[in-house]
Amino acid sequence: MKILVVGGGGREHAIASALSRNTHTTVLSVMAKRNPGIDGIAGRVLLAKETDVPRIVSFARENGVDYAFIGPEAPLEAGIVDALGAAGIPSIGPVKAAARIETDKAFCRDMMEQHAIEGRPKYRVFHSLPEAEEFIANHDGDLVVKPIGLTGGKGVRIMGEQVDRAGAIAYVRTLHGEAVLEERLLGEEFTLQAFVDGTHLVPMPLVQDHKRAFDGDVGPNTGGMGSYSMPDHMLPFVTKPDYKKAIEIMKSVVAALERTGQPYKGILYGQFMNTADGPKVIEFNARFGDPEAMNVLSLLTSDLSEIVHHIAEGSLLPSHVSFDTQATVCKYLVPDGYPDSPHTGDPVLIGPHDDTLLYYANIERLNGGLVTQTSRTLAFVGIGETLEQAEQAAESAASAVKGKVRHRRDIGTQELLNRRIAHMKELR
């Protein structure tokens, strides 16, 4: 079986690693820059923009690819799944129309409203700058300002946390009024990812990501500084009714897309805020999260290649998917200055990391060594019977890296987790 992985980040290294566990699977790769980890796995590599759809389709056809696994969101928006499908190559990823659940935030909110799907916050969609400014100025309470299109996880501004009312108005001006304005939700975030074959949805372990750049959840938003999961695949501030409701929301979304002639196949990522009233939808993504993919795929004990086959065939069952019952902690190392002014070209020396899994991200091999680029550099995933064991392994490996890079030391610590639990108790 030949499977083409599109994308060159840490998420895609995790996907390629999981696929390669099947010795009968040949992994091929398309990536804009050569990821050292993927490069060591892939039988053939095409260095190209991940949105260069015609070139990717040609590469897939020339190499007799059976399936494609789409990592990032940009090629989904570019219609790569549609084009590959027209060439007879099924993909793990939704067609362009269904991918709008991520690529068009207005579409997502309106779809949830039209189909009366639970968990939706109060919202308004704006295409007029004067109207958006007036709404912010006169609204009683804090708002979340979201660009309608893709922003790489860095485009949201939250009143009362990141900006004041004047700052929110200034930000919506940069968007020229093309924005979704939502009520600010208070609670604890969690991620629920699932394999979807168009009809059936099989959930993965819950994960909590950490977007803020620095320890203590301060600083600007990033693509994600790290994440953790628990041995029971739950999170201590998410009750079983909360979890069940989140799954039902995601099933309702899949059913709604199927009814409207846009069946969803691939990975559905639900970002939820667990509030005093239960889980509310922050957003959906049409692919694995990064870093969350590294947590769940590191635990996957079933054959990802077979899961790919069942998704493509529309025959996915819960029995096809299994995960090890251990905790994981993922810690990303990032270049100095990240995310606002990342410094590039600095050498990185990896230290001892025998007790972790290493996933390369935005890093280049140059003159026999590794050097930083403009985004997140590499990640370590610690795995253990307890969260403490997993965190210690990840922290030991991350701390042993030498170079002008840094990481968040508090991710996966009991102290930070206790704050999450206490915050949820205060709300309820």
Side-chain angles (χ1 to χ4, degrees), residues 270-320:
Q271 188 74 32
F272 293 91
M273 181 73 79
N274 210 21
T275 72
D277 299 321
K280 303 286 185 179
V281 176
I282 298 174
E283 65 178 1
F284 289 111
N285 291 333
R287 37 73 189 180
F288 267 123
D290 186 348
E292 297 98 328
M294 291 181 272
N295 297 88
V296 296
L297 290 176
S298 297
L299 292 176
L300 186 68
T301 54
S302 46
D303 187 342
L304 184 57
S305 300
E306 289 301 315
I307 294 172
V308 166
H309 170 76
H310 287 298
I311 290 175
E313 296 296 314
S315 59
L316 185 67
L317 299 172
S319 59
H320 296 139

